[in-house]
Structure formats: structure tokens, C-alpha cells
Amino acid sequence: MDMRHEPGLEFDFDTGEEGRTEGLAGRETELQKIIRQGFRAPVELSRKMRLVIDGVSYAVFNLSGNGIGIYLNEPGGFALKTKLSGMRFAIDGQTFSVEGVVVHRASDGAQDLCGIEITAMSPECQEAILAYLKKSRSSLFS
């Protein structure tokens, strides 16, 4: 049986707004705000990957091609959209200067977490991050 020419299933979307599509478009916009824009690799604490901000060292818990997730040392911490310059990022025995902006704050129930989008890094730093992500992806999905 050739299904390509048969009628398919139809779905109705309940937007809560009779006959209006703005509700659906608004929901899609909200969803786009929370969708991750790439692979984030978990980082084991034993790896000693660190991010130093204003002389204070933070443990890294995840890493992506353009972002770093850190555990905050105390409640509170950085406000959203705070620009951070002069940070030092240590990965695999190398240390790099990076800049970023705070894009996410949360709690895992035990600790406060902070997501930082990297806005400036050297090509060598990006190469080290991508090498880590490639190795991590291979081990996670093999």
C-alpha cells in the first residue's frame, strides 16, 4: 500500500484563543528561549576544570562550544545579563582568558548554578573546548 497519496492524520492545536494564531506563535517564541543551542557535555568534578572570575575559582559542571556552566560558591551570585571580562578558564592543563555574559541562573536543590555564554575566546581555547566536546560526545554516545 502506497501511503504517500493517502490522507494523513490531522491535529488541532488548542491555543486557548479561538481562531487566533498569535497564541501559538507566542508559545513557539517562549519555547525557543529555553531550547539549548548545542551539545552540552557534563564535566566530572574530578577533572578540575575551573573558571576564575575576579580571583574566585568556580567548578565547571558542563561545557558547550560557546558556554560554561558553573557551580556558585554561595547563594546569590551573578545577576542575569552581567558582563564578565578577564575570566580565566582552565581545561586539560591549559588556561585561557575568556569573556562572557550570564545567561542562566538556577538551583539543583543543593547548589546554585550559573550559565555563562562565552562572548570572546582565543582560537586555541575554542580548539581545546571542541576537542573536549568531541571526546565527551564519543564516550557518551558510543
Side-chain angles (χ1 to χ4, degrees), residues 12-100:
D12 291 327
F13 294 96
D14 180 13
T15 64
E17 301 175 26
E18 293 297 317
R20 295 181 62 191
T21 58
E22 290 87 15
L24 186 57
R27 284 184 186 174
E28 186 173 329
T29 301
E30 289 301 311
L31 286 173
Q32 288 298 325
K33 290 180 185 177
I34 62 172
I35 293 174
R36 301 254 186 220
Q37 298 301 317
F39 174 72
R40 287 187 180 266
V43 175
E44 296 176 19
L45 291 178
S46 62
R47 289 197 53 92
K48 304 280 187 204
M49 196 179 294
R50 309 294 288 180
L51 183 66
V52 177
I53 306 170
D54 293 331
V56 179
S57 182
Y58 298 91
V60 175
F61 70 88
N62 73 17
L63 183 65
S64 73
N66 64 344
I68 300 172
I70 60 171
Y71 289 111
L72 296 175
N73 298 339
E74 55 191 55
F78 307 104
L80 288 177
K81 299 183 181 178
T82 300
K83 292 182 180 180
L84 303 168
S85 59
M87 296 183 292
R88 305 290 295 160
F89 175 53
I91 179 173
D92 292 335
Q94 302 176 51
T95 302
F96 303 98
S97 180
V98 296
E99 295 185 9

Side-chain angles (χ1 to χ4, degrees), residues 110-123:
Q111 260 184 299
D112 285 352
L113 314 172
C114 181
I116 300 170
E117 178 184 355
I118 303 170
T119 57
M121 70 178 117
S122 68

Side-chain angles (χ1 to χ4, degrees), residues 91-139:
I91 179 173
D92 292 335
Q94 302 176 51
T95 302
F96 303 98
S97 180
V98 296
E99 295 185 9
V101 61
V102 177
V103 294
H104 177 71
R105 290 278 319 271
S107 174
D108 67 1
Q111 260 184 299
D112 285 352
L113 314 172
C114 181
I116 300 170
E117 178 184 355
I118 303 170
T119 57
M121 70 178 117
S122 68
E124 294 82 13
C125 180
Q126 186 161 29
E127 191 174 298
I129 290 172
L130 293 177
Y132 175 81
L133 293 175
K134 183 177 180 181
K135 186 186 316 177
S136 184
R137 182 177 288 171
S138 293
S139 67

